[in-house]
Amino acid sequence: MLDVPHEAKVRGHQRAPSDSKEFHEVTKRDALRLLEHDVDRLLETTEKARQPALKAEMGRFADLFGRFIQEEGPALDWNKIQKLPENAVMNYSNLKAPKNEQNEIRNMLDKLVVIKLNGGLGTSMGCHGPKSVIPVRSDLTFLDLTVQQIEHLNKTYDANVPLVLMNSFNTDEDTEKIVRKYKGFRVQIHTFNQSCFPRISREHYLPVAKDFEIEKDMESWYPPGHGDFYDTFRNSGLLKKFIEEGREYCFLSNIDNLGATVDLNILNKLVGEERATTPVEFVMEVTDKTRADVKGGTLIQMENKLRLLEIAQVPPEHVDDFKSVKTFKFFNTNNIWANLAAIDRVLRERTLNMEIIVNNKTLENGTRVIQLETAVGAAMKCFDGAIGINVPRSRFLPVKKSSDLLLVMSNLYTLKNGSLVMSPQRMFPTTPLVKLGENHFSKVKEFLGRFANIPDIIELDHLTVSGDVTFGRGVSLRGTVIIIANHGDRIDIPAGAILENKIVSGNMRILDH
């Protein structure tokens, strides 16, 4: 037998040192292979008929995971950010309104599809079921207002703009029941579901779900952000249907943004007389950034393409730069106009590439998980002729908290054909800054119980309320008002009170501010 030196035998079995590039590549391949194996095991727990569709969905999940483990650190080289070109962001005031001819406007509207992102639950505001069914004004829900807006357009211009709801597994069943009540309305409503991906353990990078019985274990699954729209819209068959009908653009927005209504001036730029010679395939509505919006995504130019920059992509040492109102003047409203044929092309050519957002969560049982998401606006760089339009703040009116609810329920707005219109009595176009204490005002039911009716806030600039505070009927708040009930104290603002530039402290003293 040949005498092999001991040293050579050992070397033959050595793995690459753990800090080497080769080791990391092997580890990544192992992680992806193990995840794919686990996903196959999950698929075997569901009935045969569902497996092909779910296999395709899990294939997209594995692709997303594969990209995630390949990326190291923030996915963005800060030094490559370029100055926004002059023509990158159009000013809304430079857009021309279409000629007020019914036929012209009907032709434009018949090229449009309205899509609302309807995957969110109302749990953060203490409500059960889809967020879209929370009453926001005159007992009308987000969904009611959306249907009213589109029905008004269709009736006014004899048009046929369809409404599409992108639901999640959290909202699908409830939404389907609610949609039936709009049967007699002049709006065609379509729904489709975004994907349902398994949450991954942060310890071993494998799904925490044990089987595909999603209803039994909702915590182990999640909808992967609104960037999932493109694939699931195509897979639903609706993209093909609308292109065959001759429709050209979709207008997509969050259902809880009450300012996101169909805008005929923007539509005129895309499909009307003002249509550019080179098509604009993608429009992101942005608005001026204020100190309240420092975490919102912004527009940047990079590698000669416009793209969305989210705070999650920013290297830690540049977070303050990102938040600066001077450096980044705009933020993304998530009102998006996209060309349907271009969406189809980008998907067919497999050039859709959106940055991954890693969302860390801790489940009720203490398991630390990650969910991988993408944002719909991040696809901007994949389209030709993409632009931003700097729209008035009135087009960004999201209801995320009870403080937002106070604004939209107040006399600051009037309701007209499903749209909220700011009162002409308001002297300036900005909305007041409202901060309501989390402990007493965060849940809708509790919030409503603290107001005999919503105060007059036409002349309000800033309101802070903290602690156990209630408001009587006909209260008027003006200027800057701060009401703080200390722990154990309670403040009842009497009916008819007028508070102007006042601080109300725990012992109910009223001071000039």
Side-chain angles (χ1 to χ4, degrees):
M1 184 181 166
L2 193 67
D3 189 21
V4 180
H6 176 67
E7 190 189 0
K9 287 182 191 168
V10 174
R11 193 180 297 139
H13 288 282
Q14 250 185 346
R15 285 198 71 159
S18 61
D19 60 347
S20 76
K21 193 175 176 189
E22 188 187 335
F23 174 82
H24 286 295
E25 287 304 318
V26 168
T27 310
K28 285 172 181 175
R29 279 201 303 274
D30 284 352
L32 182 57
R33 191 171 47 75
L34 287 169
L35 178 111
E36 286 171 339
H37 179 267
D38 238 46
V39 164
D40 286 343
R41 182 185 56 73
L42 280 175
L43 284 167
E44 283 167 16
T45 67
T46 188
E47 57 265 29
K48 283 274 190 284
R50 288 183 67 208
Q51 283 182 9
L54 289 174
K55 196 174 171 73
E57 195 166 302
M58 289 301 104
R60 290 202 305 280
F61 167 66
D63 286 347
L64 193 64
F65 179 81
R67 280 180 49 216
F68 158 69
I69 55 172
Q70 285 303 324
E71 289 173 8
E72 288 173 16
L76 182 108
D77 181 347
W78 193 261
N79 300 318
K80 286 187 178 174
I81 296 177
Q82 302 160 309
K83 194 175 185 302
L84 277 180
E86 284 293 306
N87 58 351
V89 179
M90 281 191 75
N91 202 311
Y92 179 84
S93 59
N94 294 338
L95 293 176
K96 290 184 180 164
K99 286 179 184 154
N100 204 5
E101 292 172 16
Q102 176 137 347
N103 283 354
E104 291 266 326
I105 295 175
R106 184 181 66 226
N107 288 342
M108 281 169 40
L109 289 170
D110 283 345
K111 292 178 179 144
L112 182 69
V113 180
V114 172
I115 297 169
K116 292 287 180 183
L117 303 171
N118 184 45
L121 290 168
T123 41
S124 63
M125 295 174 77
C127 299
H128 297 290
K131 188 174 182 183
S132 56
V133 301
I134 297 175
V136 283
R137 182 89 193 202
S138 313
D139 284 333
L140 297 169
T141 65
F142 293 104
L143 198 49
D144 292 337
L145 295 175
T146 302
V147 170
Q148 275 194 14
Q149 289 163 21
I150 297 176
E151 184 181 53
H152 174 68
L153 271 180
N154 286 343
K155 281 182 169 173
T156 305
Y157 299 105
D158 191 26
N160 181 22
V161 178
L163 170 63
V164 179
L165 302 172
M166 180 169 92
N167 299 330
S168 69
F169 65 91
N170 288 317
T171 62
D172 179 50
E173 202 175 311
D174 288 336
T175 303
E176 287 299 333
K177 289 176 193 162
I178 293 153
V179 162
R180 291 176 200 148
K181 77 173 182 181
Y182 305 118
K183 273 242 162 63
F185 286 68
R186 190 169 166 174
V187 183
Q188 280 181 28
I189 301 177
H190 304 270
T191 61
F192 70 97
N193 263 18
Q194 69 179 116
S195 302
C196 174
F197 286 174
R199 284 179 167 146
I200 306 162
S201 159
R202 239 185 293 178
E203 313 309 319
H204 48 64
Y205 277 2
L206 292 173
V208 292
K210 298 285 178 277
D211 53 43
F212 250 105
E213 297 288 319
I214 294 164
E215 288 75 21
K216 286 184 187 168
D217 185 17
M218 299 279 261
E219 260 210 323
S220 295
W221 301 84
Y222 73 100
H226 38 61
D228 184 53
F229 157 74
Y230 302 99
D231 275 308
T232 49
F233 184 49
R234 175 187 59 181
N235 295 345
S236 72
L238 288 170
L239 176 61
K240 183 170 185 276
K241 168 188 161 62
F242 292 135
I243 290 173
E244 285 172 356
E245 285 176 9
R247 299 188 187 275
E248 292 183 30
Y249 281 83
C250 63
F251 170 50
L252 181 139
S253 62
N254 296 343
I255 196 145
D256 65 6
N257 178 6
L258 294 174
T261 57
V262 172
D263 187 282
L264 295 178
N265 295 10
I266 296 176
L267 193 59
N268 194 28
K269 169 77 184 161
L270 298 175
V271 298
E273 287 184 322
E274 294 299 307
R275 184 196 286 251
T277 43
T278 50
V280 175
E281 291 187 350
F282 194 99
V283 172
M284 180 182 288
E285 291 187 35
V286 295
T287 193
D288 291 342
K289 196 169 174 177
T290 69
R291 298 216 186 300
D293 314 309
V294 291
K295 290 185 177 175
T298 192
L299 264 188
I300 58 167
Q301 177 89 348
M302 197 166 175
E303 294 165 348
N304 301 315
K305 282 272 195 181
L306 267 188
R307 59 167 74 190
L308 174 66
L309 175 64
E310 298 274 13
I311 195 164
Q313 297 157 245
V314 177
E317 65 273 20
H318 289 290
V319 166
D320 287 344
D321 300 329
F322 174 83
K323 289 180 175 180
S324 159
V325 178
K326 285 181 187 159
T327 315
F328 298 106
K329 295 176 183 158
F330 309 116
F331 82 97
N332 168 29
T333 63
N334 218 37
N335 300 348
I336 306 282
W337 303 72
N339 182 287
L340 297 175
I343 292 174
D344 186 52
R345 182 194 75 233
V346 164
L347 288 167
R348 268 189 293 106
E349 294 176 357
R350 298 178 69 83
T351 52
L352 188 67
N353 175 23
M354 293 169 284
E355 287 78 13
I356 296 169
I357 299 163
V358 181
N359 201 339
N360 292 303
K361 300 261 182 188
T362 302
L363 303 185
E364 278 181 12
N365 63 7
T367 305
R368 298 187 317 142
V369 296
I370 52 174
Q371 51 189 54
L372 306 175
E373 302 175 10
T374 54
V376 70
M380 185 177 207
K381 65 179 189 287
C382 310
F383 291 86
D384 298 329
I387 60 166
I389 295 181
N390 185 12
V391 297
R393 185 75 184 200
S394 57
R395 289 192 59 73
F396 183 67
L397 194 59
V399 180
K400 304 287 182 195
K401 299 177 178 169
S402 53
S403 51
D404 302 322
L405 209 49
L406 178 77
L407 295 174
V408 300
M409 294 174 92
S410 74
N411 62 340
L412 207 56
Y413 296 98
T414 52
L415 195 58
K416 192 177 175 191
N417 305 314
S419 301
L420 291 183
V421 182
M422 193 179 277
S423 165
Q425 291 174 281
R426 177 84 174 163
M427 296 303 284
F428 20 83
T430 53
T431 53
L433 189 61
V434 176
K435 294 178 182 175
L436 301 177
E438 287 289 311
N439 291 344
H440 295 84
F441 288 87
S442 63
K443 306 288 185 260
V444 172
K445 193 176 176 187
E446 193 174 15
F447 158 82
L448 292 172
R450 293 187 170 272
F451 294 93
N453 67 349
I454 301 295
D456 166 2
I457 61 169
I458 287 283
E459 294 176 41
L460 179 70
D461 297 326
H462 178 122
L463 173 68
T464 295
V465 182
S466 177
D468 188 358
V469 179
T470 63
F471 294 79
R473 279 197 168 275
V475 172
S476 188
L477 306 172
R478 300 170 188 171
T480 296
V481 178
I482 299 168
I483 306 168
I484 297 173
N486 297 324
H487 184 68
D489 289 339
R490 173 174 167 152
I491 294 176
D492 297 309
I493 304 297
I498 297 171
L499 301 182
E500 182 166 3
N501 295 326
K502 290 281 190 284
I503 297 174
V504 183
S505 67
N507 55 5
M508 196 52 205
R509 284 183 307 138
I510 296 185
L511 313 168
D512 278 317
H513 175 68

